[in-house]
Amino acid sequence: MRYVSFIHRDDAGYGVSFPDFPGCVSVGDTLDDAVRNGCEALAFHVEGLSADGAPVPTPRLIDAIKADPELADWRRDADIVLIPLLLDRGSSRRVNISLDRGLLEAIDDEAKQRRVTRSAFLATAARREIEST
């Protein structure tokens, strides 16, 4: 699930805000930092809502955000970026996946060099891929 964010640039760097979550904000020195920090801020905000028993809004479409007249000033001079919601559920789930044997060998070799498990390597790679798109 991805949520629309507004990214504004000023002399201090980049600010990230979410029209579906007023009050959820983040910053970064670079655009990449801002997006990465925005992912963390969004997850933290949603975890707080869930802990309080508050509903988590369904992501609005970009067209709906652009058409909302109440967001006109907030949207001005902002870049619109979709930020993924990646929640840490605190527990792992065993899954069965199929991979090409050569790819699996390369994954295992890389995981061994990094001194992590195959699962940890794949989870980190998946998280980076999701956050970077």
Side-chain angles (χ1 to χ4, degrees), residues 14-83:
Y14 296 86
V16 182
S17 58
F18 297 87
D20 288 328
F21 299 97
C24 179
V25 297
S26 186
V27 297
D29 293 332
T30 67
L31 185 55
D32 288 337
D33 286 342
V35 171
R36 189 172 23 265
N37 294 341
C39 288
E40 292 175 10
L42 178 60
F44 184 75
H45 192 85
V46 168
E47 287 168 359
L49 289 175
S50 296
D52 292 343
V56 176
T58 302
R60 287 189 282 172
L61 298 174
I62 292 173
D63 287 341
I65 299 284
K66 285 183 171 181
D68 188 337
E70 292 182 17
L71 300 175
D73 288 338
W74 193 359
R75 211 175 39 240
R76 187 172 296 117
D77 298 325
D79 290 319
I80 293 177
V81 176
L82 292 174
I83 303 266

Side-chain angles (χ1 to χ4, degrees), residues 32 46 57 80 86 89 103 131:
D32 288 337
V46 168
I80 293 177
L86 296 172
R89 301 286 188 196
L103 177 59
E131 287 178 349

